Amino acid sequence: MGSIDANPAAFAAFGAAGVDDGFQPLNAEDVRSYLHKSVDFIYDYYKNVESLPVLPGVEPGYLRRLLQSVPPTSSAPFDIAMKEVREAVVPGMTHWASPNFFAFFPSTNSAAAIAGELIASAMNTVGFTWQANPAATEMEVLALDWLAQLLRLPASFMNRTAGGRGTGGGVILGTTSEAMLVTLVSARDAALRRIGSDGVAGITRLTVYAADQTHSTFFKACRLAGFDPANIKSIPTGADTDYGLDPAKLLEIMEADVAAGLVPTYICATVGTTSSNAVDPVGAIADVAAVFNAWVHIDAAYAGSACICPEFRHHLDGVERVDSISMSPHKWLMTCLDCTCLWVRDTHRLTDSLETNPEYLKNDASESGTVTDLKDMQVGVGRRFRGLKLWMVMRTYGSAKLQEHIRSDVAMAKMFEESVRADDRFEVVVPRNFALVCFRIKPQGAMTEEDAEEANRELMERLNRTGKAYLAHTAIGGKFVLRFAVGSSLQEERHVRSAWELIKKTTTEIIKGEM
Amino acid sequence: MGSIDANPAAFAAFGAAGVDDGFQPLNAEDVRSYLHKSVDFIYDYYKNVESLPVLPGVEPGYLRRLLQSVPPTSSAPFDIAMKEVREAVVPGMTHWASPNFFAFFPSTNSAAAIAGELIASAMNTVGFTWQANPAATEMEVLALDWLAQLLRLPASFMNRTAGGRGTGGGVILGTTSEAMLVTLVSARDAALRRIGSDGVAGITRLTVYAADQTHSTFFKACRLAGFDPANIKSIPTGADTDYGLDPAKLLEIMEADVAAGLVPTYICATVGTTSSNAVDPVGAIADVAAVFNAWVHIDAAYAGSACICPEFRHHLDGVERVDSISMSPHKWLMTCLDCTCLWVRDTHRLTDSLETNPEYLKNDASESGTVTDLKDMQVGVGRRFRGLKLWMVMRTYGSAKLQEHIRSDVAMAKMFEESVRADDRFEVVVPRNFALVCFRIKPQGAMTEEDAEEANRELMERLNRTGKAYLAHTAIGGKFVLRFAVGSSLQEERHVRSAWELIKKTTTEIIKGEM
C-alpha cells in the first residue's frame, strides 16, 4: 500500500457525489437479506468447523496478500464481502468454536446468546443513563440479579433486595481487566481520602497484593491506575498450597508493609487461575484484609460459572466479606463475547470515583436518585446492550441446563484426567479443580528433566501442527506444562477421546525419537 | 425478590441433574432457527420503529414488574424469550434506531455492520495475540489502514506503509474513553521516565490539558490514570473562539505550569465536541505541545467520520504532528456499537506501558517480533473480532457511499438550521460545523432571559413527552440550549421536517402560555 497521494482512488468520487437520498444503509429488506446470508454462513461454519485446522498454517501478513490494500470507492454486493470472508478470513482463523480447541479457556457460546447479541446490535442503543435506555439498564440489572442468585451471592451484592433497593449492585463490563481497574481506582481513591492525602501525593504509600499466579492483567491494571510498581506485590505460591495464595504469608507481608509506613489498599483473590485453575482461599483472605481495611476483589472470570453448581459453590465461601467479585459468562456460561459481570457491595464506592455529570446527560430520572446510571460504574460512557444476551441465556436454558453444561464439561475433563493418570508416561501436575487438566510427559527411563521439558514442548508443537487439536501451555513450578481445557461449546466426549489418542500417539513418536 | 434461601427454586434441579449429553447449546439447527426468528423480529422492528415513542413513558423499576425476578430452573422455548422482548423490553426502550431520534449523537448502523457483528459473535474468537487469531488480528489492522486512508492520515499512523512495517499502528477499542486512558497512561509513563521519577513519585508534577468543552470522560480518564486532580486543567473557552481551545491561552497556562515546576504531559484536542461540535485547532495545539514535548491526542469520536469527505478534512490539518487520534465509527460511520479506532504514531509508546507476557500466551509468532499482538495496545486481554464489521462496511458500501451518507446528514442539518434561522423566535447559538444544530427560543417581546431559559426547558420536555421526537440539551455560555443531532440511519428528510413542524407548533403553544 502506498501513501494516499500515490493511491488517490479512495477520494475519486469527490465532486461527483452530491446528496443522493437513495442510499439506505439500514433498509429493512437489505438487513434481512444480509442477515439471512450470514445465518447460512454460520450454519455451514458450525457444520464444518470440526474439519478445519484449529490453528491455521498462515504466515504473518497473509491476509494482505489476499485482500486489496486500498479501500474500494464503489459499493459492492454483500456477496463479495462474504466470498472474501469464506476464502480469506476463514482459512486464517484460529477456530475457537472448533470442538478440537483445548487452548486457553474456551469461549463458550449458545444459540440464545448469539440471538441476543444480534438483536442488541440491531437496536444499537447506548444505555449510559437510565433515561438513555430504561429497558437496557433494567434488563442488565435484572440479569445481574438473576445470575447473583444462581451464584448464591449474598443479597448485599444485589441491586434489588427483598427489602427494596440496597447499596449493592452490578454492571456488565467488557473484560475482567476493566472490573479490576474500576475497583482498583475506587479502592485507591478511598485509601487516599482515608490517609488524608494531598491530592494523589499519598499514592506512593498505597500497596496492592495478589498471588504470583494471578492473571498478568491484574498487575497491568494496577499500573494503569497509577500504583507504584514497587508497591504491586506478587506473592510467591508453591505446590504446598496448590499454587493458591497463603493467607499467613499475605498477613506477614501486609504487616511488614504497615510497619514500613505503607497502606495496604487492595487484594485480588482468584478463583480458578488461568495458569492452572488454582483457587485462592477467599474467606481467609477476607479475614486478613479486614485487619487493614483493604479492598478484596474476587476474580472468578472462568471458574465463577462453575459456582452455579452447589458442588463448586464452596470456592466462593466468604464472599459475603469481600468488596467485589467479577466473573465472565463469556468464558464458561455460553454467552458470546464480551460479558464480564462485576458486583460490588457498595456501589457508592464505585460511583464516588467514576461518576460524571455533564450537562448534556442531565435528566430528571438521574436527578431523582431512583435509577441506576450504569456509566458511573465503568471506564467509559458508551455501552452496548449486553444484558440482553445474558438474560436470554438464563431465560431460555434455565439453571438446570446451565448446571448440566458445567457438569458435562467437568465430567469430560475428569475422564481425560483419569486417562492421563492411567498412562505411566504422564503426570497430572496439579489437582484438577474444574475442567482444566494440567499435565506433562514426566521424566522416565533415560529421560532427564531437561529432556522432558523438550519432549513436552515438542508434543505441544506437533499436536498444534496437525490442526486436529490446539493446546496451550503454562509454567508450573518452573516446568513446562500442557493445559488441556475442556468445554468448547461444540465439544463432545468423542473429541476429547480423539485428542487423547492423538496425544498418546504423538508422545510415542517423540519418545521413540521419530519425526 | 427475596434472598436465595427464601427462593430456592434456582437450585431445585440439583441432585436430579446428572450429566446429559443431549444438551447442545450451539446445535447448528437451533442456531439457525433462533437467528431466523431474531431476523424476523429485527425486520419488523425496523419497519415499525418510526411509530414507536422514541422515549418511553415507563417509570423506574417497570421491567421488574413485568418479568420474573427469580431465574427459571427449567428451559423454555426461545419463543418465550422473544415474546418477553416484544412485550416487556421494546416498550421500555429509548429507540436510538428511530428516525425521530435527535438526541446526543446518533448511533448509526448498517446492514453490513450488523452482519459482520453477527458473524463475529458466532465465531466468537478472542484475538489477544496474533497466534490466537491471525485472521482477526490482520483484518483489524487492514480495516484500520483502510480507514486511515479514507481519513488521509499520514502514513506514519499506519500499520503497513509502502516501505514496509513502520512504527505506527492502530487498534480497535470499545470507547473513546479507553483510547484516552491508554494514551494518557503511555504519556504519563514516558513523562515519569523523562523526569527520572522514583517510581510514580513524580506523578504529582505531571499536568494534562483540555478545553472546558472536552467530554467529561476525558477528565475522568485522567483521574483513572492517577493524575492529580489539581493538575487536570480545564481551559475556559468562549464565544470568541466558538468554544474551541485557544492555543495562546494554552501556551500561557503551560508556561506558567513549567515555571511552577510542573511537567506538561498531555493535551486532548477535540474535533467536534459533544456539547456543541466545537473544533479545537489541531495544528496550533500541536505546535504549542511541541514546545513542552507533551503528548497530543485528537478526540474525533463523532466528527472524525465526516473527515472522510475532503470538504471536512481540514479539521484534521496538523494531524501529522500529533501523537494519537481516535474516532468512533459506531457514532457516524454506520458501524454498530462498539467500535472506536485509535491510531498512534509510535506503537512502542503504547506497548511500553501496556505489554504483558505471561507464559500461557507465549508463542513463536509473538517472539519473532513480526506480528502485532493487539492485547498490548488496550486495557484488557480479551477482545472481540470488531475488525470484521468495520471492514464489511467499507467493503460493501465503498468510500463514495460513505461520503454520500455523511453529506446527506449534513444537508439535512443545514436544512434544519436554515429553517431555524428563518424563524424570528429562535436563534442558532453556535455555528453548525457538522450535522448538529444548537438552537434555542430567544428572548422576545416581554420575554426575559429567565423566561427564555424556562421556555426552552419546557420546549424540550414537551417535545420529548410526545414520543414523536427526542432531543437532548446542553449549556453554552451559561444558556440552556437544545441540540438537534441529525443522522439516525433510518432518518429521511421528512422526519427532520416533521420534527421542525412539531418544534414550531410546540413553541407557539409555549409562547401563548397554553398547556
Side-chain angles (χ1 to χ4, degrees):
Chain A
M1 179 188 85
S3 72
I4 284 288
D5 291 333
N7 289 286
F11 269 79
F14 177 54
V19 175
D20 172 8
D21 277 346
F23 180 39
Q24 299 182 320
L26 211 54
N27 175 286
E29 318 295 334
D30 287 343
V31 171
R32 185 164 61 182
S33 157
Y34 289 19
L35 291 180
H36 278 161
K37 288 171 200 257
S38 302
V39 174
D40 289 345
F41 168 85
I42 291 166
Y43 181 84
D44 292 344
Y45 179 73
Y46 284 151
K47 285 285 188 187
N48 295 320
V49 67
E50 178 172 358
S51 64
L52 302 176
V54 196
L55 199 62
V58 297
E59 293 297 316
Y62 93 96
L63 190 67
R64 201 173 287 261
R65 289 188 280 274
L66 298 176
L67 298 181
Q68 58 189 83
S69 60
V70 175
T73 305
S74 313
S75 57
F78 182 65
D79 291 348
I80 299 290
M82 285 308 299
K83 182 171 184 287
E84 294 183 355
V85 168
R86 287 178 206 271
E87 295 178 2
V89 176
V90 171
M93 297 267 297
T94 299
H95 295 290
W96 288 65
S98 168
N100 301 314
F101 182 96
F102 302 100
F104 313 118
F105 288 127
S107 62
T108 64
N109 206 354
S110 62
I114 303 170
E117 184 75 68
L118 170 59
I119 291 169
S121 66
M123 288 173 154
N124 207 32
T125 72
V126 194
F128 34 66
T129 57
W130 180 88
Q131 193 210 34
N133 201 327
T137 300
E138 297 201 12
M139 176 59 91
E140 183 161 331
V141 166
L142 180 66
L144 287 161
D145 277 358
W146 275 19
L147 187 49
Q149 290 176 70
L150 295 186
L151 291 167
R152 304 187 80 148
L153 294 188
S156 53
F157 283 99
M158 298 191 193
N159 288 279
R160 181 69 59 165
T161 64
R165 195 165 158 66
T167 60
V171 62
I172 302 181
L173 306 172
T175 62
T176 298
S177 315
E178 196 186 341
M180 290 169 165
L181 179 62
V182 296
T183 50
L184 277 164
V185 165
S186 301
R188 179 198 71 189
D189 292 350
L192 288 174
R193 282 192 296 271
R194 208 160 59 230
I195 64 172
S197 171
D198 177 19
V200 301
I203 200 168
T204 54
R205 291 176 55 207
L206 309 188
T207 54
V208 295
Y209 307 84
D212 60 1
Q213 299 297 301
T214 306
H215 199 290
S216 56
T217 208
F218 169 70
F219 301 103
K220 173 169 157 180
C222 294
R223 298 197 309 269
L224 292 178
F227 288 95
D228 199 296
N231 294 349
I232 303 169
K233 311 280 176 117
S234 171
I235 301 172
T237 60
D240 55 328
T241 59
D242 291 334
Y243 300 92
L245 180 59
D246 176 356
K249 204 178 283 180
L250 174 67
L251 177 64
E252 192 183 319
I253 294 175
M254 292 176 86
E255 280 175 340
D257 284 345
V258 170
L262 299 173
V263 180
T265 301
Y266 187 103
I267 304 164
C268 179
T270 307
V271 173
T273 62
T274 300
S275 178
S276 71
N277 266 189
V279 175
D280 293 333
V282 169
I285 290 171
D287 292 340
V288 172
V291 177
F292 306 96
N293 202 11
W295 184 300
V296 180
H297 178 75
I298 301 177
D299 166 15
Y302 165 72
S305 294
C307 299
I308 66 166
C309 299
E311 67 271 31
F312 292 109
R313 174 57 175 73
H314 66 93
H315 292 298
L316 296 184
D317 283 355
V319 63
E320 66 281 358
R321 303 200 297 286
V322 309
D323 300 279
S324 54
I325 174 171
S326 60
M327 54 84 73
S328 298
H330 65 225
K331 282 203 156 65
W332 205 8
L333 215 56
M334 310 194 313
T335 307
C336 49
L337 290 166
D338 46 6
C339 184
T340 292
C341 299
L342 168 67
W343 293 270
V344 290
R345 256 199 308 157
D346 185 353
T347 55
H348 295 299
R349 295 172 70 185
L350 276 192
T351 56
D352 280 352
S353 287
L354 303 173
E355 196 173 47
T356 56
N357 194 22
E359 184 64 31
Y360 39 83
L361 295 184
K362 285 182 181 162
N363 64 83
D364 292 342
S366 296
E367 282 165 27
S368 74
T370 59
V371 299
T372 302
D373 286 339
L374 293 170
K375 73 174 174 57
D376 295 332
M377 295 174 70
Q378 63 178 19
V379 170
V381 182
R383 56 198 331 277
R384 284 153 57 231
F385 186 1
R386 294 190 187 103
L388 187 61
K389 61 184 172 185
L390 179 60
W391 174 82
M392 276 200 165
V393 165
M394 292 185 281
R395 184 70 189 94
T396 300
Y397 302 120
S399 57
K401 287 281 182 202
L402 295 177
Q403 291 173 341
E404 182 183 322
H405 139 77
I406 295 290
R407 288 174 180 141
S408 158
D409 289 349
V410 171
M412 286 194 284
K414 203 171 169 193
M415 182 189 81
F416 181 85
E417 178 195 19
E418 284 162 5
S419 302
V420 173
R421 287 194 192 278
D423 188 321
D424 278 348
R425 300 173 298 173
F426 299 96
E427 64 177 342
V428 173
V429 181
V430 286
R432 178 196 52 73
N433 284 325
F434 304 102
L436 169 70
V437 180
C438 293
F439 73 104
R440 65 170 200 146
I441 300 171
K442 64 183 176 191
Q444 52 206 266
M447 190 190 279
T448 63
E449 187 58 60
E450 290 69 38
D451 294 340
E453 172 91 4
E454 186 52 39
N456 281 296
R457 284 185 189 274
E458 181 67 21
L459 174 58
M460 186 179 79
E461 275 164 31
R462 287 201 198 184
L463 289 171
N464 291 350
R465 269 204 304 273
T466 64
K468 292 177 181 162
Y470 177 30
L471 280 74
H473 76 283
T474 189
I476 301 179
K479 293 171 185 161
F480 183 97
V481 173
L482 278 81
R483 295 171 77 265
F484 191 86
V486 171
S488 164
S489 296
L490 292 168
Q491 218 160 61
E492 300 170 23
E493 199 177 300
R494 65 188 171 90
H495 300 106
V496 177
R497 291 194 189 282
S498 293
W500 171 238
E501 291 305 319
L502 184 64
I503 289 166
K504 283 196 296 184
K505 177 172 157 282
T506 310
T507 300
T508 300
E509 290 167 6
I510 289 170
I511 290 180
K512 282 190 184 161
E514 293 175 14
M515 270 308 288
Chain B
M1 179 190 84
S3 73
I4 284 287
D5 291 332
N7 290 286
F11 269 78
F14 176 55
V19 176
D20 172 6
D21 277 347
F23 181 37
Q24 299 181 319
L26 211 54
N27 174 285
E29 317 296 334
D30 287 344
V31 171
R32 184 164 61 181
S33 158
Y34 290 19
L35 291 181
H36 278 161
K37 288 170 200 260
S38 303
V39 174
D40 289 345
F41 168 85
I42 291 166
Y43 181 84
D44 291 344
Y45 180 73
Y46 284 151
K47 284 285 189 187
N48 295 319
V49 66
E50 176 172 358
S51 64
L52 302 176
V54 196
L55 199 62
V58 297
E59 292 298 315
Y62 92 96
L63 191 67
R64 201 173 286 261
R65 290 188 279 273
L66 298 176
L67 299 180
Q68 57 189 85
S69 61
V70 176
T73 305
S74 313
S75 57
F78 182 65
D79 292 347
I80 300 290
M82 286 306 301
K83 182 171 182 287
E84 294 184 354
V85 167
R86 286 179 206 270
E87 296 178 0
V89 176
V90 171
M93 298 266 298
T94 299
H95 295 290
W96 288 65
S98 168
N100 300 314
F101 183 96
F102 302 99
F104 313 118
F105 288 127
S107 62
T108 63
N109 206 354
S110 62
I114 302 170
E117 184 74 68
L118 170 59
I119 291 169
S121 68
M123 288 174 154
N124 207 32
T125 73
V126 194
F128 34 66
T129 58
W130 180 87
Q131 194 210 35
N133 201 328
T137 301
E138 298 201 10
M139 177 58 93
E140 183 161 330
V141 165
L142 180 66
L144 287 161
D145 277 357
W146 275 19
L147 186 49
Q149 290 175 70
L150 295 187
L151 292 168
R152 305 189 80 150
L153 294 187
S156 54
F157 282 99
M158 297 190 193
N159 288 278
R160 182 69 60 165
T161 63
R165 194 166 159 67
T167 60
V171 62
I172 301 182
L173 305 172
T175 62
T176 298
S177 315
E178 196 186 342
M180 290 169 167
L181 180 62
V182 297
T183 51
L184 277 164
V185 166
S186 302
R188 179 199 71 190
D189 292 351
L192 288 174
R193 283 191 297 273
R194 206 160 61 229
I195 64 172
S197 171
D198 177 19
V200 300
I203 200 169
T204 53
R205 291 176 53 208
L206 309 187
T207 53
V208 296
Y209 306 84
D212 59 1
Q213 299 297 300
T214 307
H215 199 290
S216 57
T217 208
F218 169 71
F219 301 102
K220 173 168 158 180
C222 294
R223 297 197 309 269
L224 292 178
F227 287 94
D228 199 296
N231 294 348
I232 302 169
K233 312 279 176 116
S234 172
I235 300 172
T237 59
D240 55 328
T241 59
D242 291 334
Y243 299 93
L245 180 59
D246 176 356
K249 202 178 283 181
L250 174 67
L251 177 63
E252 190 183 319
I253 294 173
M254 292 176 85
E255 281 176 339
D257 284 345
V258 169
L262 299 174
V263 180
T265 300
Y266 187 103
I267 304 164
C268 180
T270 307
V271 173
T273 61
T274 299
S275 177
S276 71
N277 267 189
V279 175
D280 292 334
V282 169
I285 290 171
D287 292 340
V288 172
V291 176
F292 306 95
N293 201 12
W295 184 300
V296 179
H297 178 74
I298 301 177
D299 166 16
Y302 164 72
S305 294
C307 299
I308 65 168
C309 299
E311 67 271 32
F312 292 109
R313 174 56 176 75
H314 66 93
H315 291 299
L316 296 183
D317 284 356
V319 63
E320 67 282 357
R321 303 200 297 285
V322 310
D323 299 279
S324 54
I325 172 170
S326 61
M327 54 84 73
S328 298
H330 65 224
K331 281 202 157 66
W332 205 8
L333 214 57
M334 310 193 314
T335 307
C336 48
L337 291 165
D338 45 6
C339 184
T340 291
C341 298
L342 168 68
W343 293 270
V344 290
R345 257 199 307 157
D346 185 353
T347 56
H348 296 299
R349 295 172 69 184
L350 275 192
T351 57
D352 280 352
S353 288
L354 303 174
E355 195 173 46
T356 56
N357 194 21
E359 184 65 32
Y360 39 83
L361 294 184
K362 285 182 181 162
N363 65 83
D364 293 343
S366 296
E367 281 164 28
S368 74
T370 58
V371 299
T372 302
D373 286 340
L374 292 170
K375 72 174 174 59
D376 296 332
M377 295 172 70
Q378 64 178 19
V379 170
V381 183
R383 55 199 331 278
R384 284 152 58 231
F385 187 1
R386 294 190 187 103
L388 187 62
K389 62 184 172 185
L390 179 59
W391 175 81
M392 276 201 165
V393 165
M394 291 184 282
R395 184 70 188 95
T396 300
Y397 302 119
S399 58
K401 287 281 182 202
L402 296 178
Q403 291 173 340
E404 183 182 321
H405 139 77
I406 296 289
R407 288 173 180 143
S408 158
D409 289 350
V410 171
M412 286 193 284
K414 201 171 169 193
M415 182 188 81
F416 180 84
E417 180 195 17
E418 284 162 6
S419 302
V420 173
R421 287 193 191 280
D423 188 320
D424 279 348
R425 299 172 300 173
F426 299 96
E427 65 177 341
V428 173
V429 181
V430 286
R432 179 196 52 74
N433 284 324
F434 305 101
L436 170 69
V437 181
C438 294
F439 73 104
R440 64 168 201 147
I441 301 171
K442 64 183 177 190
Q444 51 205 270
M447 189 189 279
T448 63
E449 187 57 60
E450 290 69 37
D451 294 339
E453 173 91 3
E454 187 51 40
N456 281 295
R457 284 185 189 274
E458 180 68 22
L459 173 59
M460 185 178 79
E461 275 163 32
R462 287 200 198 184
L463 289 171
N464 292 350
R465 267 204 305 273
T466 64
K468 291 178 182 162
Y470 178 28
L471 280 74
H473 75 284
T474 189
I476 301 179
K479 293 171 186 160
F480 183 96
V481 172
L482 279 81
R483 294 171 76 267
F484 191 85
V486 171
S488 165
S489 296
L490 291 169
Q491 216 159 63
E492 300 170 24
E493 199 177 300
R494 65 189 172 91
H495 301 106
V496 176
R497 291 195 188 281
S498 294
W500 173 238
E501 292 305 319
L502 185 63
I503 290 167
K504 284 195 296 183
K505 177 171 156 284
T506 310
T507 301
T508 300
E509 289 166 6
I510 290 170
I511 290 179
K512 281 190 186 161
E514 293 175 15
M515 269 307 288

